[in-house]
Amino acid sequence: MEASFGPTFSAVVPGAKTEASGTYKQHRRTPSSSSTLTYSPRDDEDGMLPISTPRRSDSAISVRSLLSESNMSLRSTFSLHEDDDDTEPLVFAEQPSVKLCCQLCCSVFKDPVITTCGHTFCRRCALTSDKCPVDTAKLTVVVNNIAVAEQIGELFIHCKYGCRLLNTTPTSPNGAGGGASPNGAGGGTAASRGEGTPKMGGPGNFEVDPMGCPFTIKLTTRKEHEVSCDYRPVRCPNNPSCPPLLTMNLEGHLKECEHIKCPHSKYGCAFIGNQDTYSTHLDLCKFEGLKEFLQQTDDRFHEMQVTLSQKDQDIAFLRSMLGKLSEKLDQLEKNLELKFDVLDENQSKLSEDLMEFRRDASMLNDELSHINARLNMGILGSYDPQQIFKCKGTFVGHQGPVWCLCVYSTGDLLFSGSSDKTIKVWDTCTTYKCQKTLEGHDGIVLALCIQGNRLYSGSADCTIIVWDVQTLQKVNTIRAHDNPVCTLVSSHSMLFSGSLKAIKVWDIVGTELKLKKELTGLNHWVRALVASQNHLYSGSYQTIKIWDIRSLDCVHVLQTSGGSVYSIAVTNHHIVCGTYENLIHVWDIESKEQVRTLTGHVWDSVFNVDP
């Protein structure tokens, strides 16, 4: 089945020879030679490449896929650049291959691009359409289709000065107007070709003009030809009121033009005549003898204008520089005033800090004197600790209860973990303010531990996060347990983590944690871990187990009462633990015998004590 596409194309004379440049060729047009070209798609036409990428098998585009439901014909239009004039005439010498036509606009590709679906469309069509008409995939531009653009650029088109609008009056001298040829050359009206009413001035509404430029040229060299085309319309340089001319007729018109002015008309000569009277006038013109003087005067006047313009530019530049200098001076004055204000404020603050420091030093001296007096009197046991350890302030910032604390003495930092899933870093030396909030956990932060310059945090999200203390940045995350990580402690380049009925032992290798062993045989949640030089102490339900730190074997078990063990502290002489039922149990570290049970707490847990 054959289908008719686009506007008409004039038949090229067989055997027409191309120019030496290979960019355009001349052909002869007569009303009897113009015809409507029919097109049957074939895959091997002109040896052109398929539009789709090699990974697709649908490289040959059928005519049916290119035609719209209204049987709209392809418009033989193309522009190599998006900024080309869309109303410029564009008539191809031969019917373009169907493979060079966009399936969205049913026109020859304009700035062809390859999309993510692998098909090629006009850039404007791809950007304004949502889905591919072939596989309904979302359209996103990937890259320009240079191969297709080069093929289209090699197509031959008629010079725009050899084309005319459809359904208009006969051709004008400049070759840009005119109507249909007597026998309907160009395939008839747009309506007869199924395109509806044509838009005047559109590139698809033109046909070959037998009276216009007879050349066909490559699309890529169109501008070069049309600039020097003999059929290009021009105006008479002597008088704009002269009728429009073609470039090839300009020379003959100038010989006959009756509006030639004297070259000295700008000085007042009123002569207007033809070429014959022009030569006679120059011999008699009173300005001709003064032309050298007049030219020198013009040159001098032009030089003065240039100099004046340069001076104006210099004045404008100096004014601009003066304005900038004024602005800079104002800014410097403001900065100076601001610095004086800051200096006064800092001086006042330093004075206040100095006075506060002197008061604190006086109070500290008084307290030291009081302690020394008690020591000298031998009644140290009777002093009240609250008189020495006074609250200096309160850190406020968490959005929930604080579950754990950890001190980094090297940098005078305090780390606090909270149920708001964050870790806050507090300055305990100078500002006493939160320096940073560490975020990364998805659950309550239950445990904190420092080893070297690494901070380890355990959470209810079952992970351990490794933080760099110097940069306060997260460096690693480990999925440690199947249940919340309740406690952490480090010793001998090892990290111990406690969870439900399990203690895991990790080797610390840089920022990595390598699982070394899992300690089992525990009866409940392990909420307390303490490491000494030789032993690891773990607390669970009414039990404290003592492990050899090197062999990781359980060497002793202490039985207690009061529910789960929530905290453990080890001194040089005793093992101390706090339980769920508000009790503190004390054992002798050598004999492992319980020596005392302390009461007095009224809450359900005892917090960790750093040994």
Side-chain angles (χ1 to χ4, degrees):
M1 178 179 178
E2 293 186 346
S4 176
F5 288 83
T8 62
F9 304 88
S10 63
V12 180
V13 176
K17 296 182 180 179
T18 60
E19 295 288 336
S21 62
T23 60
Y24 61 91
K25 52 190 177 182
Q26 185 174 11
H27 57 80
R28 187 181 304 110
R29 304 192 198 93
T30 63
S32 61
S33 65
S34 298
S35 62
T36 301
L37 297 183
T38 59
Y39 177 76
S40 296
R42 57 187 186 275
D43 292 340
D44 59 344
E45 181 178 358
D46 300 327
M48 295 181 181
L49 297 174
I51 296 173
S52 303
T53 55
R55 66 183 176 86
R56 293 189 171 267
S57 61
D58 52 348
S59 59
I61 301 177
S62 65
V63 175
R64 182 177 301 172
S65 66
L66 292 176
L67 294 177
S68 63
E69 293 181 359
S70 62
N71 196 27
M72 180 180 293
S73 299
L74 286 175
R75 301 189 305 274
S76 302
T77 59
F78 174 75
S79 174
L80 291 179
H81 304 283
E82 277 295 320
D83 56 356
D84 283 350
D85 187 359
D86 286 341
T87 63
E88 199 167 60
L90 187 56
V91 180
F92 287 90
E94 297 179 359
Q95 175 65 43
S97 169
V98 70
K99 298 177 184 178
L100 300 179
C101 299
C102 176
Q103 298 188 55
L104 290 173
C105 64
C106 298
S107 301
V108 175
F109 287 115
K110 182 175 182 180
D111 192 10
V113 294
I114 300 175
T115 59
T116 50
C117 63
H119 297 99
T120 298
F121 302 99
C122 304
R123 179 180 293 276
R124 183 178 298 173
C125 296
L127 294 177
T128 56
S129 302
D130 295 331
K131 295 182 179 179
C132 173
V134 179
D135 53 18
T136 68
K138 183 178 181 181
L139 291 181
T140 303
V141 175
V142 176
V143 68
N144 291 333
N145 196 331
I146 300 175
V148 172
E150 290 178 349
Q151 291 180 51
I152 297 174
E154 293 296 315
L155 297 177
F156 279 86
I157 64 169
H158 293 279
C159 173
K160 71 177 181 180
Y161 302 118
C163 303
R164 65 184 177 187
L165 282 169
L166 290 172
N167 300 329
T168 58
T169 57
T171 182
S172 60
N174 62 5
S181 58
N183 68 342
T189 64
S192 67
R193 299 194 313 274
E195 295 185 12
T197 302
K199 296 179 180 179
M200 296 306 295
N205 300 322
F206 289 86
E207 64 180 355
V208 175
D209 184 0
M211 305 300 294
C213 178
F215 290 100
T216 57
I217 52 179
K218 285 186 178 181
L219 188 55
T220 53
T221 60
R222 138 179 232 172
K223 298 296 182 183
E224 178 182 350
H225 165 76
E226 290 175 352
V227 167
S228 59
C229 181
D230 288 340
Y231 289 82
R232 182 171 62 92
V234 295
R235 287 288 183 179
C236 174
N238 298 324
N239 191 348
S241 63
C242 287
L245 303 168
L246 297 181
T247 302
M248 59 182 166
N249 299 329
L250 179 61
E251 184 177 355
H253 169 78
L254 292 178
K255 293 179 180 179
E256 301 174 356
C257 183
E258 297 290 340
H259 300 90
I260 301 177
K261 294 182 180 180
C262 177
H264 308 300
S265 60
K266 61 180 178 180
Y267 303 119
C269 182
F271 169 81
I272 297 177
N274 56 27
Q275 188 71 34
D276 295 334
T277 58
Y278 175 77
S279 302
T280 304
H281 167 74
L282 286 181
D283 295 334
L284 302 176
C285 183
K286 61 182 179 180
F287 294 99
E288 183 66 16
L290 300 174
K291 64 179 181 180
E292 293 184 0
F293 171 76
L294 295 174
Q295 183 62 42
Q296 292 176 358
T297 303
D298 282 346
D299 293 342
R300 181 59 179 164
F301 182 72
H302 178 69
E303 291 177 0
M304 293 178 65
Q305 285 184 322
V306 172
T307 303
L308 182 60
S309 176
Q310 184 64 40
K311 295 299 182 182
D312 289 340
Q313 293 179 5
D314 293 343
I315 292 173
F317 174 75
L318 291 175
R319 286 178 177 174
S320 174
M321 292 299 297
L322 182 60
K324 292 181 179 180
L325 289 174
S326 299
E327 292 177 0
K328 190 172 183 179
L329 182 60
D330 293 340
Q331 187 64 36
L332 289 174
E333 290 178 353
K334 292 179 180 178
N335 291 340
L336 186 59
E337 292 177 358
L338 182 61
K339 288 181 179 180
F340 277 126
D341 293 340
V342 172
L343 183 61
D344 293 339
E345 183 179 352
N346 290 339
Q347 183 177 2
S348 176
K349 186 176 180 180
L350 285 174
S351 300
E352 293 176 359
D353 291 344
L354 181 60
M355 293 178 63
E356 184 177 356
F357 174 76
R358 288 175 178 175
R359 287 195 300 269
D360 291 344
S362 177
M363 293 175 62
L364 183 61
N365 288 331
D366 293 342
E367 290 175 358
L368 290 175
S369 299
H370 184 69
I371 293 173
N372 287 331
R374 286 182 174 273
L375 289 173
N376 293 332
M377 293 173 62
I379 55 173
L380 183 60
S382 62
Y383 78 99
D384 183 3
Q386 293 185 359
Q387 295 181 1
I388 300 176
F389 302 105
K390 295 182 179 180
C391 179
K392 306 290 289 187
T394 302
F395 294 122
V396 179
H398 281 295
Q399 302 300 315
V402 177
W403 284 82
C404 51
L405 297 171
C406 186
V407 175
Y408 181 61
S409 57
T410 304
D412 294 315
L413 300 177
L414 173 68
F415 297 89
S416 60
S418 169
S419 62
D420 62 7
K421 305 177 186 179
T422 67
I423 302 168
K424 288 191 179 292
V425 186
W426 308 90
D427 179 7
T428 62
C429 181
T430 55
T431 64
Y432 300 98
K433 294 181 180 179
C434 178
Q435 287 192 344
K436 190 173 183 180
T437 299
L438 309 182
E439 298 179 349
H441 281 296
D442 296 327
I444 298 173
V445 181
L446 298 172
L448 293 173
C449 173
I450 284 184
Q451 171 74 21
N453 62 347
R454 298 283 187 266
L455 170 70
Y456 301 90
S457 59
S459 169
D461 61 9
C462 310
T463 64
I464 297 174
I465 294 183
V466 185
W467 310 83
D468 189 302
V469 178
Q470 303 297 327
T471 63
L472 300 177
Q473 298 293 326
K474 177 170 67 174
V475 294
N476 198 3
T477 301
I478 298 96
R479 179 77 180 184
H481 291 271
D482 296 329
N483 294 285
V485 180
C486 298
T487 180
L488 294 171
V489 71
S490 63
S491 180
H492 295 78
S493 297
M494 292 183 293
L495 180 70
F496 302 88
S497 60
S499 184
L500 178 62
K501 298 182 180 181
I503 300 173
K504 287 189 177 182
V505 184
W506 310 83
D507 279 329
I508 301 175
V509 183
T511 60
E512 299 290 332
L513 294 180
K514 305 295 184 182
L515 182 62
K516 182 175 183 180
K517 188 175 181 181
E518 182 174 351
L519 308 182
T520 58
L522 299 151
N523 59 5
H524 206 264
W525 288 97
V526 179
R527 291 189 173 93
L529 286 174
V530 171
S532 64
Q533 185 67 27
N534 299 314
H535 296 94
L536 172 70
Y537 301 83
S538 65
S540 55
Y541 182 74
Q542 298 191 157
T543 303
I544 295 178
K545 286 194 174 185
I546 304 175
W547 311 78
D548 186 281
I549 201 80
R550 292 177 176 81
S551 66
L552 300 177
D553 294 328
C554 181
V555 297
H556 205 89
V557 179
L558 303 179
Q559 298 293 336
T560 182
S561 61
S564 295
V565 176
Y566 273 73
S567 59
I568 299 175
V570 179
T571 69
N572 291 334
H573 305 288
H574 298 94
I575 301 171
V576 186
C577 79
T579 66
Y580 176 78
E581 296 181 356
N582 315 328
L583 301 177
I584 298 176
H585 299 280
V586 184
W587 285 268
D588 184 276
I589 198 170
E590 296 294 338
S591 65
K592 307 297 189 293
E593 296 291 334
Q594 184 170 345
V595 296
R596 193 167 182 181
T597 298
L598 306 177
T599 61
H601 282 291
V602 295
W603 201 243
D604 58 355
S605 62
V606 178
F607 295 97
N608 240 333
V609 180
D610 199 4

